[in-house]
Amino acid sequence: MNIALSALALCFLFVGSVLAQTTMLNIPAQSLPEALHSLSSQTGVQLLFNGTQMQDIRNQAVAGAMQPDAALNRMLEGTSYTYEKSSANTYVIKTAAGEKPVVMPEIRVTGMVDPDAPDNPDYRRTKAFSATKTDALVMETPVSVQVVPRAVMDDQKSVTLKDTLENVSGVQATPTLGNDTGFNIRGFRSGRNYRNGLLANGGNANFPTMFDTANLQSVEVLKGPASILFGRGEPGGLVHLTTKRPHATPYYSLEQQFGSYDFYRTQWDATGPVTQDGALLYRFNGSYLNTDSFRDNIFTERTMGSGSVTWRPTNATEFIVEVEGIYQEGQADFGIPVVGNRPVKIPVSRTFSDRNDPVDKKDKIHVGTEFSHQFNANWTIRNRFLMTHYDQNTTFFNPAPAFGDALRDNRFLERNIFSQRHQSELYTTNLDLDGKFDIGFTRHAVLVGFDYMRSQTRYFTRGDYENPNPALTVDIFSPVSTATDPAVIRQTLSPNSSAFGKNVFEDEWFGVYFHDRITLWDKLHILGGGRYDWTVTGRANSTVSFSEAEANVPRRKDQGFSPRVGILYQLLPQLSLFGNWTTSFGASNGLSATGATFNPQRGEQFEAGIKTALFQDRLIATASFYHIIRENLLTPDLSTLDPLDSIAIGRQRSRGVEFDISGRITEELSLIGSYAYTDANVIRDNSGLLDNRLPQAPKHAGSIWLRYDIRKIQQLNGLSFGVGVFAVGKRDGDIQNTFKLPGYARLDAFAAYRMKLGPTRLTAQVNARNILDARYFESTDPDSNVAPRLGVLPGAPVTILGSLRLEY
């Protein structure tokens, strides 16, 4: 483990020692806008221009090693255009007479290749929406935020959020029953995800859901409390998903993936204009997945489809409608048990399910809109709306008692049959006004807004997970595959078997917020603002009906103010120092065993760090130190029969050091990497947990992923390959610290070849995960219907995945 982490450190030192040289360019004669995009992509410089005025102009071909200035001089020879260098890494293309092109809103002129372009291979992102809800540059924002772009997902063939977020420091996955929701960020678990600026799952009940990466453009992780902009949340951080949106440039792709364990996945993407003037754009994408698992009797079949339309009735107004639906069938997986203080030594493929276990079914629908209107060059108003409906029906052959000693004599796993269904409806909306203005020698960028969220979850259980059925006991070292009589299953899950009846969770919040980004002398950036929340939460239970439960929900009202202050000073254009103080507000609708409610969770963070932009801003890195305190945290009360009973364990602290880096070192070498040292403990408690480490919070974890594109050897042009190491130190598996998950290092790699087939491009790619076939364990999860000691999720053995993708 130490060797693996040392290797990561050496990789980072090596990367930091590489110096940028002139760039080897290969840009043929073509439409001038396309040539400028190619130059920006190959060099990383920012080019500002109006493409519609250049469509009929062709550039001079450029080939060989040269600086951007020399390349531009060559490309623009014989045209009516020249250029002006506005900063170290930005060029403005203008007419030879000196007139700059008019920038029209509908043209969407960007500072380099459009970061959201479907075929953008760049690992670097200069902006992160979740940091300020505006277009602020990462290098000028005093917070830690990391972006995983689509290019990384494609290179790594990430099918789940878990795979994607392995590239971000301080993030550990805690997936629930095969879903793709839970993550530990800076030591604190968060089950919520945000989508295009709005909460996309969970409300306050935090039930699991599933996602598919086919419609994702990027994934951001905003470190630390994010309450000021997004409302209630965990102080460790926030996961934000940006979906694919329509583009004015036509693009079509079809990809077929296939691999180990009968893995088959098809995904498609199509976008372009509907009308000739580009006022109406569309996008349609989706995927179909059918796969078994390295785990016995576990399978997944999922279909996802998404359609979106962008309408621009005027140059200043835009309206977007998006609909996404997912339907999934499969079998839930709660993992393997613990013996002593380690996961039991049995094959990682072994499960303790039943051949007649009913198929689990899940479906989810998102309907979202976004309206924006630009009053002038400085002021914009924007409204977002998102409706989410989620329905999950799952049945397990569960350990029983699920939260007790179900492993008798460290050998015999006692079981029974348990079923749960939860239906959630979530409605969120916001209204933001952002603007820019100057006062004296100060520049201001302000955001004022409000948001509203309302959710209701109905949760219904049947069966018995507390008392074992002797006929279902299984020997974990010598299991016999069982096929339980369907009559026994039906009887156990009969309507009158519900021990806890029908639960209703209600959650509502209203918040107003503001912040101001103040710039002085083009070097000092000050961020200040705050948010005030009003919340109503409640939970009720009925053995009769949901209507009775809804009529008797005891509602708790809370309110609170969450400030945020940050400062960033740019010592050099490529080097910034920053610090911030932020707080979080997290009302809870949990109940104790006596029916009492709890005070809102509160969090507070102090953070300081450094940001750098290297190699002509092609590579961005952030290093930070943080200290977070969280109070009034709820955790399941395992001393009662009701799995929804909670206890507050007092105060927790997490502090550590994190490092993230992404982008391009040369035109051929790209990387994304991370390292995190996390010290997370209980520091105040009255129930025997004092000084315990928080679960799923390794002291050391890191990753590095390198991609090399061959460009200088003409015969191999189009060939790319890459390698990555993902390393995690040992972790405590539960808050009681009764067992540990061993550390591991996983080696992954890929190779791809891109070739032209007439007007289309074909990409053939092979990915290999866990090349060394390491035996490792990913996580436990307190929300997986069993105690952590009964549910450790193993990592997959060596896995091979191939793919063919056609793009036009």
Side-chain angles (χ1 to χ4, degrees), residues 524-584:
L524 182 62
H525 304 271
I526 301 172
L527 177 65
R531 174 190 180 97
Y532 204 92
D533 278 295
W534 294 265
T535 68
V536 180
T537 58
R539 169 195 159 193
N541 176 284
S542 171
T543 59
V544 179
S545 67
F546 283 115
S547 298
E548 181 182 82
E550 292 168 0
N552 295 287
V553 173
R555 293 177 174 84
R556 177 186 174 111
K557 296 183 179 181
D558 293 290
Q559 55 185 290
F561 179 68
S562 304
R564 175 169 75 166
V565 176
I567 186 169
L568 180 144
Y569 184 72
Q570 291 183 276
L571 296 173
L572 301 168
Q574 299 82 20
L575 180 65
S576 302
L577 301 177
F578 74 94
N580 64 67
W581 170 68
T582 57
T583 62
S584 67

Side-chain angles (χ1 to χ4, degrees), residues 161-163 165-175 181-190 221 223 239 658 674-678 694-703 726-731 741-742 744 776-780:
L161 281 180
K162 173 181 69 66
D163 298 336
L165 292 177
E166 287 179 331
N167 299 284
V168 182
S169 67
V171 179
Q172 296 294 318
T174 57
T181 302
F183 298 94
N184 271 25
I185 307 175
R186 290 186 168 177
F188 300 122
R189 189 179 190 280
S190 175
V221 179
K223 308 292 188 64
V239 176
E658 294 178 345
S674 68
Y675 168 76
Y677 169 81
T678 307
L694 301 189
Q696 294 301 311
K699 278 194 173 182
H700 301 279
S703 67
F726 301 86
V728 179
K730 63 181 180 180
R731 299 136 287 157
L741 302 182
Y744 68 90
Y776 68 99
F777 299 92
E778 290 187 339
S779 69
T780 62

Side-chain angles (χ1 to χ4, degrees), residues 627-644:
H627 181 99
I628 304 175
I629 296 291
R630 177 166 69 161
E631 297 185 284
N632 299 324
L633 172 69
L634 301 188
T635 192
D637 185 352
L638 303 184
S639 66
T640 75
L641 298 182
D642 191 340
L644 301 177

